[in-house]
Amino acid sequence: MASVPSLASSVNQHVADALASALPEAGGADPLLRRSDRADFQANGILALAKKAKANPRELAATVVEGIPTGDLIEEIEVSGPGFLNITVSDAAIVSTLAARAADDRLGVPLNASAGTTVIDYAQPNVAKEMHVGHLRSAVIGAAMVEILEFTGEKVVRRHHIGDWGTQFGMLIQYLLEHPHELDHKSDSEVSGEEAMSNLNRLYKASRALFDSDEEFKTRARARVVDLQAGEPETLALWQRFVDESKIYFYSVFNKLDMDIQDPDVVGESGYNDMLVETCKLLEESGVAVRSNGALCVFFEDVKGPDGNPTPLIVQKSDGGFGYAATDLSAIRDRVTNLGATELIYVVDARQSLHFKMVFETARRAGWLNDEVKAVQLAFGTVLGKDGKPFKTREGETVRLVDLLDEAIDRASAVVREKAQDLTEAEIAERGAQVGIGAVKYADLSTSAARDYKFDLDQMVSLNGDTSVYLQYAYARIQSILRKAGDARPVAHPEVALAPTERALGLHLDGFGELIAEAAAEHAPHKLAAYLYQLASLYTSFYSECPVLKADTAEQVENRLFLCELTARTLSKGMSLLGIRTPEKL
């Protein structure tokens, strides 16, 4: 594994060295190198440094230029405007750097030197409840962050904090106790997710109706909650049946989403029960939490209700019951102490921002979080319908996630069938699923997480525009060219001159590693999506202007095939980090 310094970082180093010798007091200053439409790169940092040193910026720029070696890497450098440097790198440097990337199975992307352990809390469905469109974003954004961080060398622990505890289970368990066959399966063979969910739905509706209409059942159900919290064996065994039945359903949905969720990573609210009493004790003894009207509360200067009074975080209710805060704080203790986390990421709806702000601040006051161990909420916006309102069915119901995914696969299969030349029905079905699920994930990931986005299937499966289908077709087109190449092989030729669209493609390919580092540090998968879309667009321009197999010389054919192959590998790697498949043929 060889990490390859990018052209940008090499140029930056040359400019920084020349700057330090021209202006010693600016040692270590950032030359502010950016990609530019005037040249390959522009250094903008000299202006501010000259002002500070009371020097003439153009004269300082000229002195810096004298100290920069031209040749192998930098072909041309000129001072422009009030002291900007316009820098052009050589064709040979571009191709040689890309050849070094191609020789490495990580495409020359370095590992993060300060990697630690991140626990990501994402994809958190509720037991005995159907997953709806609101569950999509947490799952998709979280899974992409897991992949991106792992690729940078971070140790990532996945956590699915499922809603598997609370008072509603008293009602469900009591009903199952009185109607013992409600969760029985039709046969002993494998149970489908649909069957499991329809069992749970039926039982939930029946128990709710009874709970609302029969006072004696309501009393028995409430007593059952006490048994559950006390860990009474028969009650726990029935509770476990609900969890197991729900998992059959969850896993079928995650499977459809092409997401791998492992049993040990599913640690629901119940997983922290044994810690709740101690968490409260630690908070109360340290004075972080105080008793107020019998409840254990944490107060904050800047959190007030509409009446102007402070709104506390309630860790334990006055009746002794525990709220979400107690569970969330216990989970932080577990993740920091037992899992050794240096960072906690919570992929949770933006509407819960205040809750998490209060929980994180409480954990800091208690000393469980500090400068070495950070927690962040990767907050996401709402999925909207085409009308710009929260996504609902015509009847005003929340949209079932399964229905949405099935429709995306149907739409995508129609697109694949229309374009497919030599695919069998089985291949069309497989590619339809890869394209449909890819389209849903990409639409989500190409929007900054914090923003709301419109769920528009027509747009998502379009072959034009910023869609995963556009990227998948670019990849498949390259594979088709490589198959048709016959004896010609992809070989880098640094001595071959590059056309403008080849240079643009090459410089963008070279920025992959820096982009990955940025997406990881900022928890911003949308930046990776934007990079890949630009890559596919630059490739399309190159392909329309530069004949590949019919290029002028054998070396030019090989060099262009080399650019094609590296583009395909970069697309495939980037897409896989977003959880999207790249079929070889479409």
Side-chain angles (χ1 to χ4, degrees), residues 130 192-199 249 252 400 402-403 406:
E130 192 127 36
S192 72
E194 280 291 320
E195 187 191 333
M197 195 62 237
S198 75
N199 276 347
Y249 162 70
S252 75
R400 293 174 55 199
V402 174
D403 295 341
D406 285 341

Side-chain angles (χ1 to χ4, degrees), residues 130-291:
E130 192 127 36
M131 287 175 73
H132 55 78
V133 66
H135 289 113
L136 179 68
R137 299 209 72 185
S138 174
V140 170
I141 295 166
M145 274 322 304
V146 168
E147 296 299 327
I148 291 168
L149 287 170
E150 281 190 336
F151 185 55
T152 65
E154 188 78 6
K155 180 185 172 200
V156 179
V157 182
R158 301 154 171 81
R159 277 292 174 267
H160 308 292
H161 190 88
I162 62 171
D164 66 353
W165 205 246
T167 50
Q168 75 278 17
F169 283 99
M171 170 184 95
L172 294 169
I173 292 166
Q174 189 60 35
Y175 189 87
L176 186 58
L177 194 71
E178 295 174 16
H179 305 81
H181 297 295
E182 283 298 304
L183 287 184
D184 292 358
H185 296 140
K186 292 185 188 114
S187 69
D188 294 338
S189 61
E190 202 175 328
V191 187
S192 72
E194 280 291 320
E195 187 191 333
M197 195 62 237
S198 75
N199 276 347
L200 289 164
N201 264 339
R202 195 178 60 246
L203 196 150
Y204 188 88
K205 282 180 180 146
S207 63
R208 182 87 241 179
L210 199 58
F211 187 85
D212 291 341
S213 64
D214 182 335
E215 282 303 318
E216 287 174 358
F217 176 75
K218 189 182 272 189
T219 306
R220 294 197 296 279
R222 288 193 169 141
R224 188 61 57 188
V225 177
V226 180
D227 293 340
L228 177 64
Q229 286 172 342
E232 191 273 316
E234 185 190 22
T235 305
L236 272 183
L238 289 166
W239 167 81
Q240 190 63 50
R241 284 193 64 189
F242 282 99
V243 174
D244 293 342
E245 192 78 5
S246 297
K247 278 185 175 174
I248 296 172
Y249 162 70
F250 296 156
Y251 291 165
S252 75
V253 179
F254 288 128
N255 207 18
K256 189 164 279 191
L257 260 174
D258 198 12
M259 271 176 62
D260 179 32
I261 290 201
Q262 299 291 333
D263 230 27
D265 302 332
V266 180
V267 183
E269 295 168 359
S270 64
Y272 305 99
N273 281 342
D274 298 349
M275 300 175 71
L276 300 178
V277 171
E278 191 185 2
T279 296
C280 291
K281 188 166 154 256
L282 291 168
L283 290 171
E284 193 167 12
E285 283 177 357
S286 62
V288 172
V290 293
R291 292 276 164 197

Side-chain angles (χ1 to χ4, degrees), residues 8-123:
S9 65
S10 305
V11 169
N12 200 56
Q13 193 56 57
H14 279 312
V15 178
D17 292 346
L19 193 53
S21 68
L23 194 68
E25 63 267 38
D30 182 355
L32 299 179
L33 195 73
R34 303 280 177 271
R35 286 296 307 278
S36 164
D37 47 7
R38 302 263 157 75
D40 294 333
F41 299 102
Q42 190 173 62
N44 300 337
I46 290 173
L47 231 60
L49 290 169
K51 253 191 193 146
K52 221 168 155 184
K54 306 216 175 359
N56 176 319
R58 271 192 78 94
E59 281 171 21
L60 176 58
T63 314
V64 170
V65 169
E66 281 164 27
I68 297 175
T70 54
D72 294 345
L73 172 64
I74 295 173
E75 189 167 90
E76 197 183 344
I77 183 163
E78 55 162 32
V79 179
S80 96
F84 300 129
L85 299 186
N86 285 342
I87 301 165
T88 304
V89 293
S90 70
D91 289 355
I94 293 175
V95 177
S96 306
T97 302
L98 294 182
R101 292 200 177 288
D104 176 49
D105 58 0
R106 287 178 51 83
L107 300 169
V109 176
L111 292 165
N112 177 3
S114 55
T117 298
T118 295
V119 177
I120 300 195
D121 186 324
Y122 69 108

Side-chain angles (χ1 to χ4, degrees), residues 484-496:
K484 287 180 191 148
D487 295 339
R489 299 254 71 58
V491 181
H493 287 280
E495 74 285 1
V496 170

